Amino acid sequence: MTASDSEGRLGEEFFTPGSASFTEFLAAHRPELLPTRRPFPDGVRAAPDRFPHGTTVLALTYRDGVMIAGDRRATMGNLIAQRDLEKVHPADHHTAVAFAGSVGLALDMVKLYQVELVHFEKVEGIPMTLGAKANRLAGMIRQNLGQAMQGLAVVPLLAGYDPAAPEGRRGRIFSFDVAGGLYEKRDFHADGSGSPYARGALKKLFRPGMDRRESALAALQALYDAADDDSATGGPDISRRIFPIVSVITEEGFERLPEQETEQLSREMVEQRRSRPDGPNATP
């Protein structure tokens, strides 16, 4: 801390011209606060059963925008580390981010990303475009490459409502690889250990123009299929009343579906599975 900090005044770094990136500001003045610094010496890898990992998240477009959802389980090897983890978070009013991978680093990255978007808007006076938000998150992931190579990877999934996009295509989905590669996905996508099964379910259930209820049921069915084949993914926990998190982003902004609505849809889906364990067939 500088002398001015100890006296309750801002240091000179706060008045030095620079970019509108809060991450770059931290890197220049307080790099030790960045979650992307390496926790281990070179050549050391994290044991896979010593740190909690989040698993399956997904997103799909629907009639009013885009929906993003995630299961609630975190695992450490073959142990369940947490049953009610929240993997879906608003990034700003029209953007949300979900994550798979190392839980502690992912939560820190989400918080930093939220501040990054607010900081940019305060400095520039306008919000970032959705494409710029995706690129900024890709840059943050790229800074985390050293930790990813040590076994502490974070794989976020970004979804947002883009008012500048053509009508009917305003819900947009972006996925990333551990090196910061950015890929825009059409219609739907899933990440995490259960993602192959979730994507397989969405391939048969997704159709353009679905309403909110149809989309939420499709997301819940996909997460159920992921949990059915991937032990690291958690399905609806009826006895504990722990259900997946489902959120939507529309012209009105981000909204997390109320717990009562998610529970009702989850119970309806589980009841359907009693007569059709492998889930519904594709819609003609």
Side-chain angles (χ1 to χ4, degrees):
M1 296 178 67
T2 65
S4 58
D5 290 327
S6 64
E7 296 170 4
R9 296 194 300 271
L10 294 176
E12 292 182 3
E13 62 269 22
F14 290 92
F15 302 97
T16 303
S19 76
S21 169
F22 184 73
T23 304
E24 291 180 8
F25 175 81
L26 279 184
H29 302 288
R30 297 292 297 275
E32 72 277 7
L33 297 180
L34 286 171
T36 52
R37 65 189 187 280
R38 290 195 183 193
F40 308 118
D42 290 344
V44 177
R45 285 183 57 84
D49 59 347
R50 301 296 294 273
F51 297 91
H53 277 69
T55 47
T56 309
V57 294
L58 60 85
L60 66 155
T61 59
Y62 77 111
R63 185 177 62 194
D64 299 325
V66 63
M67 179 172 288
I68 186 166
D71 81 307
R72 307 293 296 277
R73 179 173 291 178
T75 59
M76 290 193 302
N78 64 332
L79 300 178
I80 297 176
Q82 188 172 348
R83 301 179 187 274
D84 60 351
L85 178 66
E86 297 199 7
K87 304 175 187 176
V88 180
H89 301 266
D92 64 10
H93 191 54
H94 283 105
T95 319
V97 60
F99 66 84
S102 300
V103 173
L105 295 180
L107 290 173
D108 280 350
M109 187 178 290
V110 168
K111 293 174 184 176
L112 181 59
Y113 184 59
Q114 291 168 334
V115 175
E116 180 83 4
L117 299 186
V118 172
H119 182 79
F120 178 91
E121 187 169 351
K122 287 183 176 179
V123 171
E124 298 294 334
I126 56 172
M128 284 188 197
T129 64
L130 185 55
K133 294 174 189 177
N135 280 312
R136 187 60 58 90
L137 184 54
M140 294 175 64
I141 299 167
R142 200 169 298 118
Q143 293 174 351
N144 193 58
L145 181 58
Q147 294 194 75
M149 297 301 291
Q150 291 182 321
L152 297 173
V154 176
V155 183
L157 181 63
L158 185 71
Y161 182 87
D162 187 355
E167 185 73 30
R169 304 300 308 173
R170 292 179 178 170
R172 299 174 66 188
I173 301 167
F174 300 89
S175 73
F176 308 83
D177 61 34
V178 294
L182 170 62
Y183 314 93
E184 183 165 5
K185 301 297 182 177
R186 189 178 181 90
D187 298 332
F188 60 84
H189 188 66
D191 276 322
S193 61
S195 60
Y197 315 107
R199 285 198 297 268
L202 289 172
K203 280 184 178 180
K204 68 177 182 178
L205 297 176
F206 177 85
R207 57 183 177 80
M210 291 192 297
D211 62 23
R212 169 166 151 158
R213 186 177 190 278
E214 292 170 325
S215 300
L217 279 172
L220 292 170
Q221 294 279 9
L223 290 172
Y224 192 101
D225 278 349
D228 198 34
D229 287 296
D230 173 45
S231 61
T233 303
D237 192 333
I238 302 295
S239 60
R240 294 184 177 88
R241 298 187 66 185
I242 300 173
F243 303 97
I245 293 176
V246 182
S247 299
V248 296
I249 312 159
T250 65
E251 185 177 9
E252 285 73 36
F254 175 91
E255 178 192 357
R256 175 170 166 172
L257 268 61
E259 187 76 17
Q260 183 179 2
E261 181 178 354
T262 308
E263 178 176 353
Q264 179 182 348
L265 292 172
S266 297
R267 290 181 180 275
E268 178 182 330
M269 177 198 63
V270 170
E271 186 60 34
Q272 292 172 357
R273 292 276 179 150
R274 295 182 188 276
S275 58
R276 189 182 289 273
D278 292 329
N281 292 328
T283 304

